[in-house]
Amino acid sequence: DPESNSWSGAAAMTTARNSHTATLLPTGKVLVAAGMPNGGGGSLNTTELYDPVGNTWTGAASLAIGRTMHSATLLPSGKVLIAAGTIGGPVLATELYDPVSNTWGAAGPILTSRTSQTTTLLPSGKVLMTGGYGSGNVVLNSVELYDPGSNTWSSAGDLGTARSNHTATLLPSGKVLVAGGAASPTGVAYASGELYDPAGDTWSPGGSFTTARSVHTATLMTTGMVLIAGGRASNGGAYMTSAQLYDPVNNTWTAASNLAAARGFH
């Protein structure tokens, strides 16, 4: 509760899971989908709905394919697009959840199977997918666009740098800031950012952090600036307390106050 700056317990999910997605629906309920079961191993295809009014969870329709480290995007239609992820290897299949009928339907498959990618809803209604790990744990620079009208994916301009476990933030200008991420499953993180312009399907430099990082978070603030927090400088490395602010007007990064606790994957 931000007014009292306090936390209180909420009802427990029916199934323990991690590396899942949580999507706020137009009804005010939250759809939690798939992920890894308690103890690891395999991927879940189950989903749940949280009702904040009653503080209750109920089962929702199951995905056709279980997956973890996927992405979920709320479309203008109110449907939820679940894309990519892993079931022991990267997934091509995507699915659409209809909250009105509580059903899943097949969506067009992505062009390149991947996991640990990002998806961003653009002002046009299309969805931008960037980077991630492909088959053989190869880090990708490829980019795809999903068109809900035709239910198909198409290639978009490649990232300048292949990256995974990065962030993607839609800016007020309509451009997308892709920041940080890792060079390989065992490699160091990037300090660089890139800007995607949907109008020209082009990428340009998005400045550089003072401290490279992956598995961080990126939050668009009401000022139009982006707050990057936590993460780690290399895969398997220590988590960080540092945070930084991106100014889209000047395309620059500055230090922000440190977190009280080091964290990543938050």
Side-chain angles (χ1 to χ4, degrees), residues 25-27 31 49 74 77-80 97-103:
L25 303 177
T27 60
L31 174 71
L49 285 169
L74 180 66
S77 64
K79 294 182 178 181
V80 179
Y97 178 69
D98 185 342
V100 176
S101 60
N102 184 34
T103 56

Side-chain angles (χ1 to χ4, degrees), residues 142-209:
S142 61
V143 178
E144 302 185 35
L145 282 170
Y146 175 71
D147 184 343
S150 60
N151 191 25
T152 57
W153 294 85
S154 59
S155 295
D158 288 344
L159 288 159
T161 301
R163 58 185 82 214
S164 64
N165 290 316
H166 50 290
T167 55
T169 309
L170 179 66
L171 303 176
S173 65
K175 294 182 178 181
V176 178
L177 172 69
V178 166
S184 73
T186 57
V188 297
Y190 292 120
S192 63
E194 303 184 44
L195 286 169
Y196 178 71
D197 185 349
D201 185 32
T202 54
W203 292 90
S204 60
S208 292
F209 310 149

Side-chain angles (χ1 to χ4, degrees), residues 29-30 39 50 54 66 78-79 90 104 115 121 139 184-186 189 209 238-239 245 251 259-260 262:
K29 294 182 178 181
V30 179
Y50 178 70
K79 294 182 178 181
W104 292 90
T115 182
L121 180 67
V139 178
S184 73
T186 57
F209 310 149
Y239 296 117
L245 282 169
N251 193 28
L259 292 159

Side-chain angles (χ1 to χ4, degrees), residues 225-239:
M225 300 181 81
V226 178
L227 175 70
I228 296 287
R232 60 187 180 190
S234 64
N235 282 329
Y239 296 117

Side-chain angles (χ1 to χ4, degrees), residues 1-256:
D1 182 345
E3 291 186 6
S4 61
N5 188 29
S6 61
W7 291 89
S8 58
M13 294 189 293
T14 57
T15 303
R17 61 185 81 214
N18 71 70
S19 300
H20 52 286
T21 54
T23 309
L24 179 64
L25 303 177
T27 60
K29 294 182 178 181
V30 179
L31 174 71
V32 166
M36 190 180 299
N38 206 4
S43 300
L44 299 168
N45 71 340
T46 57
T47 70
E48 309 182 38
L49 285 169
Y50 178 70
D51 183 350
V53 176
N55 185 30
T56 55
W57 292 89
T58 56
S62 293
L63 289 152
I65 299 174
R67 62 187 81 206
T68 184
M69 294 187 290
H70 51 289
S71 58
T73 309
L74 180 66
L75 302 177
S77 64
K79 294 182 178 181
V80 179
L81 174 70
I82 297 288
T86 180
I87 51 173
V91 178
L92 277 172
T94 65
E95 301 184 47
L96 282 170
Y97 178 69
D98 185 342
V100 176
S101 60
N102 184 34
T103 56
W104 292 90
I110 57 178
L111 306 178
T112 302
S113 59
R114 65 187 76 207
T115 182
S116 300
Q117 77 287 344
T118 63
T119 52
T120 308
L121 180 67
L122 301 177
S124 65
K126 293 183 177 181
V127 177
L128 178 76
M129 175 181 283
T130 69
Y133 294 117
S135 298
N137 276 340
V138 174
V139 178
L140 304 171
N141 71 340
S142 61
V143 178
E144 302 185 35
L145 282 170
Y146 175 71
D147 184 343
S150 60
N151 191 25
T152 57
W153 294 85
S154 59
S155 295
D158 288 344
L159 288 159
T161 301
R163 58 185 82 214
S164 64
N165 290 316
H166 50 290
T167 55
T169 309
L170 179 66
L171 303 176
S173 65
K175 294 182 178 181
V176 178
L177 172 69
V178 166
S184 73
T186 57
V188 297
Y190 292 120
S192 63
E194 303 184 44
L195 286 169
Y196 178 71
D197 185 349
D201 185 32
T202 54
W203 292 90
S204 60
S208 292
F209 310 149
T210 54
T211 305
R213 66 191 70 213
S214 68
V215 300
H216 52 284
T217 55
T219 306
L220 179 67
M221 306 198 329
T222 54
T223 59
M225 300 181 81
V226 178
L227 175 70
I228 296 287
R232 60 187 180 190
S234 64
N235 282 329
Y239 296 117
M240 297 186 290
T241 59
S242 65
Q244 298 182 316
L245 282 169
Y246 175 72
D247 180 351
V249 175
N250 297 308
N251 193 28
T252 54
W253 293 87
T254 56

